Amino acid sequence: MYKTKRELLENTCAANPDLSPFVILKLSMLCDGVLLSERALDQLQTPLYNFGKVDSFGINFQGRPADKAMPGAILLRDASNVYINYGETFDAPYLVDWDQDREEFQLKDGDDVLDTVDFVPRPAFFGKLTSRGTPMESLVDIRAQKLILTAYERCRFWEGGHQCGFCAFFTGGENHGEADCEDIYETVREAIREPGRFSEIFLSGGSDFGGEHPFDDEVDRYIRILQAIGRNFSGRFSSQLMAPAYTKTQLRRLYGQTGLTAYCPNIEIWDKSLFPLLCPGKEKYIGRNEWIRRTVDAVEIFGKGKVCTQVVAGAEMASPYGFKTVEEALESNFQACEFFAENGVIFLSTIWRPHRYSKLGYQKMPPLDYYIRLARGLHDIRREYGLFCTNDDYKHCGNHPDSDLERLDDIVSVV
């Protein structure tokens, strides 16, 4: 429809004057992808940006040069961060280039310079080792002000082919199983020494259904690791656990024995017919209806607005099972958001990035307009119910364009 990305962005912004142009740019970058020029990659090897070559989520990215370190998220001029899967397959990507004369990174479409960008700077503790000799950067991922820890570099849903259809986690072949508690403690201790860098700790990992009751082993693991993290703090600390939908008994143990403050059991797919097809492990060990019930029950323990869940936006339209129209997909997700909002749960969207190593494989994503309408709709529903993201906003995760829109709500409420 549009011949250039500049034309696409200008027309889309004109058609959506109520949305930040940076949110629209971010969504377009997530949909189309971003490549790094050789000049940009060379500049990103400097100490300010070099994130190393370790990926704590173990995803196989064939397009990454073996001799180059990857950077963190891209920073737009309004401080929005755009988390890109560098090295993934893209059909019509943006380009980030380095202009030596201006000494700046530029976002380009061919030779057309669209904007200046930057990258999340390298954390001060990267390059350091724990007392066991473990590289601290191998234990974490970084988003803006969020420190992301991986407790278990394996997902047992892959056993028997029950992994989620859109998932490519732990496909890189270098997974190390359970993280060591002392390594985690020392890494967090070192990370929080950097003034003003991190304001939240996020913990996740692959699913482990082992134990006397399903997921008991996983809950025990998270308690151990959260207790190790908690040795760095007095009382509760700003934190979020992304994990399966646990029983009340399991959640009470987690909340009562650790300093955890927020919980995120991601449903990923709302539609009752698509859920078992795209999330077969979740269906097998918990089930959609039970997953929903447990998510709502968690509000009783963590409080309104401290429980969230998300949809992998676009996967519900994936071939061959998905919705055939944007309207059907939007209706499904708005229904989910309304239901969860009524029950004090924040429902978010993260953008599906098709990956060749997932069951769904690489295929065409929904159009940009779908993601714009979804972001606006989810934000409006949550605002109506007085729900405001404190864990997954632009400052922390940056993976949820709909929560980026809340920045204007902040301004309005102050005025």
Side-chain angles (χ1 to χ4, degrees):
M1 181 179 179
Y2 299 109
K3 294 182 179 179
T4 66
K5 293 191 183 300
R6 181 177 295 278
E7 183 181 355
L8 165 68
L9 293 171
E10 289 178 350
N11 280 271
T12 304
C13 288
N16 298 276
D18 59 318
L19 297 189
S20 163
F22 292 104
V23 171
I24 291 173
L25 175 59
K26 174 176 178 171
L27 281 166
S28 183
M29 292 169 68
L30 290 170
C31 287
D32 289 349
V34 177
L35 295 181
L36 304 172
S37 72
E38 287 190 21
R39 286 191 296 255
L41 260 177
D42 288 341
Q43 183 64 23
L44 290 166
Q45 304 311 299
T46 62
L48 177 61
Y49 296 111
N50 186 325
F51 264 52
K53 302 177 184 178
V54 180
D55 176 11
S56 63
F57 288 103
I59 302 175
N60 192 336
F61 293 117
Q62 289 187 340
R64 295 185 176 184
D67 61 336
K68 302 288 185 181
M70 292 294 108
I74 297 171
L75 286 176
L76 304 183
R77 286 187 293 111
D78 73 334
S80 295
N81 61 115
V82 187
Y83 193 79
I84 297 295
N85 290 339
Y86 304 112
E88 184 54 278
T89 303
F90 304 120
D91 290 330
Y94 288 84
L95 177 72
V96 171
D97 199 6
W98 172 254
D99 188 302
Q100 184 65 48
D101 295 331
R102 294 178 177 271
E103 294 189 340
E104 65 182 17
F105 291 104
Q106 297 177 337
L107 184 69
K108 303 170 72 173
D109 177 25
D111 294 327
D112 186 13
V113 179
L114 302 172
D115 209 342
T116 58
V117 296
D118 205 347
F119 291 82
V120 171
R122 172 186 170 99
F125 73 92
F126 272 33
K128 297 183 179 181
L129 303 177
T130 69
S131 60
R132 295 175 65 250
T134 304
M136 291 185 177
E137 63 206 61
S138 71
L139 300 167
V140 302
D141 192 14
I142 303 297
R143 307 279 173 83
Q145 296 177 23
K146 177 178 279 191
L147 182 68
I148 299 179
L149 302 164
T150 302
Y152 188 55
E153 292 185 15
R154 178 186 174 194
C155 178
R156 295 191 62 193
F157 285 164
W158 286 73
E159 297 175 14
H162 294 122
Q163 73 271 25
C164 294
F166 40 80
C167 180
F169 281 177
F170 314 120
T171 56
E174 296 182 2
N175 306 320
H176 302 103
E178 180 174 343
D180 179 82
C181 288
E182 196 64 21
D183 280 350
I184 293 290
Y185 160 70
E186 293 176 13
T187 298
V188 172
R189 181 185 62 187
E190 196 65 31
I192 61 179
R193 286 176 174 168
E194 186 174 357
R197 183 60 193 266
F198 300 108
S199 56
E200 183 179 73
I201 295 173
F202 179 93
L203 181 62
S204 187
S207 296
D208 179 3
F209 45 77
E212 181 180 355
H213 302 286
F215 302 101
D216 273 352
D217 289 350
E218 180 172 289
V219 170
D220 290 342
R221 178 182 299 118
Y222 282 133
I223 288 174
R224 289 194 299 272
I225 291 179
L226 283 164
Q227 287 176 343
I229 295 169
R231 288 159 54 194
N232 291 290
F233 304 96
S234 175
R236 296 205 175 274
F237 51 94
S238 178
S239 53
Q240 183 184 53
L241 173 64
M242 186 179 78
Y246 297 138
T247 64
K248 276 188 179 180
T249 299
Q250 291 168 330
L251 287 178
R252 287 193 179 103
R253 289 188 61 220
L254 272 165
Y255 190 80
Q257 298 178 34
T258 74
L260 184 65
T261 57
Y263 173 54
C264 186
N266 292 332
I267 193 167
E268 318 287 19
I269 300 292
W270 170 255
D271 182 76
K272 63 181 179 181
S273 61
L274 292 177
F275 183 86
L277 295 172
L278 295 178
C279 302
K282 294 182 176 185
E283 175 68 20
K284 177 180 174 65
Y285 291 100
I286 299 176
R288 175 185 178 272
N289 291 343
E290 182 67 9
W291 191 286
I292 294 168
R293 188 182 68 80
R294 292 181 182 184
T295 301
V296 171
D297 285 348
V299 176
E300 178 184 321
I301 297 169
F302 288 89
K304 177 182 177 181
K306 289 300 183 181
V307 178
C308 70
T309 189
Q310 73 179 23
V311 63
V312 180
E316 76 278 15
M317 294 190 69
S319 176
Y321 312 112
F323 295 118
K324 305 306 180 186
T325 69
V326 163
E327 299 301 331
E328 290 176 298
L330 289 173
E331 181 181 358
S332 174
N333 288 322
F334 292 156
Q335 179 191 71
C337 188
E338 187 89 33
F339 169 82
F340 282 118
E342 288 174 347
N343 289 280
V345 176
I346 291 175
F347 180 85
L348 298 163
S349 68
T350 188
I351 307 303
W352 172 50
R353 167 46 59 189
H355 194 287
R356 66 175 71 88
Y357 288 102
S358 69
K359 279 185 178 179
L360 290 174
Y362 184 77
Q363 54 180 286
K364 188 175 179 61
M365 293 174 64
L368 174 62
D369 180 65
Y370 164 70
Y371 289 106
I372 290 174
R373 293 170 64 187
L374 180 66
R376 179 192 284 115
L378 297 183
H379 164 249
D380 288 348
I381 291 170
R382 293 198 306 268
R383 181 173 58 182
E384 179 184 348
Y385 285 87
L387 292 171
F388 186 85
C389 295
T390 57
N391 300 95
D392 296 293
D393 58 3
Y394 79 100
K395 293 183 296 184
H396 293 109
C397 185
N399 246 20
H400 309 284
D402 49 304
S403 64
D404 284 9
L405 297 177
E406 294 178 356
R407 296 170 72 176
L408 292 181
D409 294 343
D410 242 350
I411 296 171
V412 171
S413 65
V414 171
V415 173

